Amino acid sequence: MPLNKIVLGVAAYGHSFRVSPSDAFVNGSKTELAAYPKFNASNRPLGDAWDDVAGLDVCGVYQGPGGNWNFWGLVGGGFLTSDGDPAPGIYYRYDSCSQTPYVYNKTSQVMVSFDNADSFAVKGSYIKETGLRGFAMWEAGSDYDDILLDSIRCTAGFD
C-alpha cells in the first residue's frame, strides 16, 4: 500500500494504574520516577468523567473501572496545567523509548501514561518524514484547547 494512503492513529487519552510510592520512584529517590514500575493490575483507578465505572458487563461478568483519562481530564483532574505541563505536586517522566510521558500523583497513588504535545510532535514529524497521508485522532473531543491537535498539525506540516 502506498504510504500516502495510510494515516497514523493517535490517541488523546491515557491509561491509569495504581502504583505504590515504593515502586513509583527510582530506588533511593523521592522525585525521579522509575521506568516501567510495578503496578496493581487488579486495582485499576477510575479515570475521568468519560471513563467506564465498575459494574457488570452485558454478560453479567464484573469489570473494574476502565482507568482512562482524556487529555482534558488530566487537566481537570489536577495532573496537568491548562498549558499541558505537569501540575505542581505531580511527578513527571518522559520515556525516550516510547516517546510518551507519564505523571504520578503520590497522594492518590495514581500513575497515568498518556500522550502530550511533545509526543504528538514526534508523531507529526514521523508523518512528515515518511510521507504518510495524515493522522486519525481518537478522539478530538479529548483534547484540551487544541494543544495536541496544534502540535501534530504543525510538525506534520498541515497548517
Side-chain angles (χ1 to χ4, degrees):
M1 175 169 279
L3 288 174
N4 67 355
K5 300 211 183 277
I6 299 173
V7 297
L8 180 67
V10 295
Y13 61 90
H15 295 282
S16 62
F17 306 91
R18 183 91 50 208
V19 180
S20 72
S22 61
D23 293 322
F25 297 96
V26 170
N27 197 13
S29 175
K30 293 183 180 184
T31 59
E32 183 182 356
L33 289 177
Y36 318 111
K38 292 188 321 183
F39 61 91
N40 185 344
S42 65
N43 185 14
R44 179 164 281 173
L46 182 63
D48 63 37
W50 285 4
D51 192 22
D52 295 325
V53 296
L56 300 178
D57 66 13
V58 294
C59 297
V61 177
Y62 176 80
Q63 300 292 322
N68 299 319
W69 286 86
N70 292 287
F71 193 74
W72 59 258
L74 290 168
V75 174
F79 287 95
L80 302 176
T81 67
S82 60
D83 294 328
D85 298 321
I90 297 297
Y91 299 90
Y92 173 87
R93 181 177 178 130
Y94 192 86
D95 181 58
S96 59
C97 181
S98 66
Q99 298 291 315
T100 54
Y102 47 102
V103 288
Y104 182 65
N105 181 323
K106 186 176 178 182
T107 303
S108 65
Q109 299 184 11
V110 173
M111 184 172 283
V112 184
S113 173
F114 66 106
D115 276 304
N116 66 0
D118 293 334
S119 57
F120 263 55
V122 170
K123 293 172 185 189
S125 294
Y126 178 77
I127 291 166
K128 187 174 186 174
E129 291 165 10
T130 58
L132 295 179
R133 179 68 175 198
F135 65 94
M137 181 175 173
W138 184 260
E139 73 177 75
S142 300
D143 200 350
Y144 183 86
D145 201 24
D146 293 338
I147 290 172
L148 302 177
L149 280 170
D150 289 347
S151 177
I152 197 167
R153 288 180 67 237
C154 288
T155 55
F158 296 126
D159 275 346

